[in-house]
Amino acid sequence: SILSLMTGPCCNVAAALEKDPSIKDNIEELLIMGGAIDCKGNVERFDHDGSAEWNFYYDPEAARKVIHSGLRIVLFTLDAINNCPLRKEFYSDLAKHKKYSAAYYIGCSTTLFGIHVSDTMYMWDPVTTSYLGCEGLCKLVEREIDVELENPS
């Protein structure tokens, strides 16, 4: 069995489950970065009320199929991860680690490439990914959820 990680829309997993539902027998756990339950979303469009998170907003039907697939899902929503902002100080601290080329490169990238760091950038994908290698990093809460399909959210 495998552990699968999704840090984008649920389209591919939903399509795979539709094509061959038996694959879920081989998936031990599915980690998903997506959704906004009790907080504001991160989709800001003229035709949207701002309640959705981007990965679920992109294809809400696929997200709903995956959520209701019967798979064991660990869902990292904006509710939890919005407590982990990417601030300029974070990049500055990374840039101090010259002996670690990747950290140094990422830390300097805001200056080198003119990347604008704002108060709306969060560690959505890194926190979700960290669950794989950092046992005890996250306190999980079990909840039943649904994905809203009605517009605009």
Side-chain angles (χ1 to χ4, degrees):
S1 71
I2 64 168
L3 177 68
S4 185
L5 168 69
M6 286 185 358
T7 59
C10 297
C11 326
N12 292 337
V13 172
L17 288 168
E18 193 170 304
K19 183 174 183 173
D20 183 2
S22 72
I23 65 167
K24 77 179 186 183
D25 297 335
N26 298 317
I27 301 172
E28 179 182 332
E29 189 171 62
L30 179 61
L31 276 58
I32 301 174
M33 191 287 114
I37 297 174
D38 293 320
C39 70
K40 182 180 180 306
N42 62 356
V43 175
E44 296 182 17
R45 294 179 45 115
F46 71 93
D47 61 345
H48 189 273
D49 68 1
S51 63
E53 180 277 330
W54 175 254
N55 293 336
F56 281 20
Y57 171 80
Y58 183 83
D59 191 341
E61 291 87 4
R64 180 181 259 180
K65 285 178 188 175
V66 171
I67 291 295
H68 293 291
S69 67
L71 288 168
R72 173 172 159 65
I73 294 173
V74 178
L75 183 65
F76 289 84
T77 64
L78 296 183
D79 305 70
I81 302 175
N82 280 354
N83 293 315
C84 304
L86 277 172
R87 303 230 190 275
K88 256 191 179 148
E89 297 79 21
F90 175 78
Y91 285 98
S92 296
D93 287 345
L94 279 178
K96 294 175 187 171
H97 297 282
K98 293 181 180 178
K99 118 178 180 182
Y100 303 104
S101 58
Y104 179 67
Y105 173 77
I106 292 167
C108 293
S109 65
T110 57
T111 304
L112 291 173
F113 302 111
I115 296 172
H116 175 69
V117 178
S118 72
D119 288 338
T120 60
M121 294 176 67
Y122 299 90
M123 294 209 253
W124 297 310
D125 297 347
V127 170
T128 304
T129 306
S130 296
Y131 174 82
L132 295 172
C134 301
E135 192 174 320
L137 174 70
C138 305
K139 178 184 173 195
L140 301 179
V141 176
E142 194 167 324
R143 288 182 78 169
E144 289 205 21
I145 65 163
D146 196 9
V147 178
E148 179 63 49
L149 299 179
E150 298 297 317
N151 286 330
S153 62

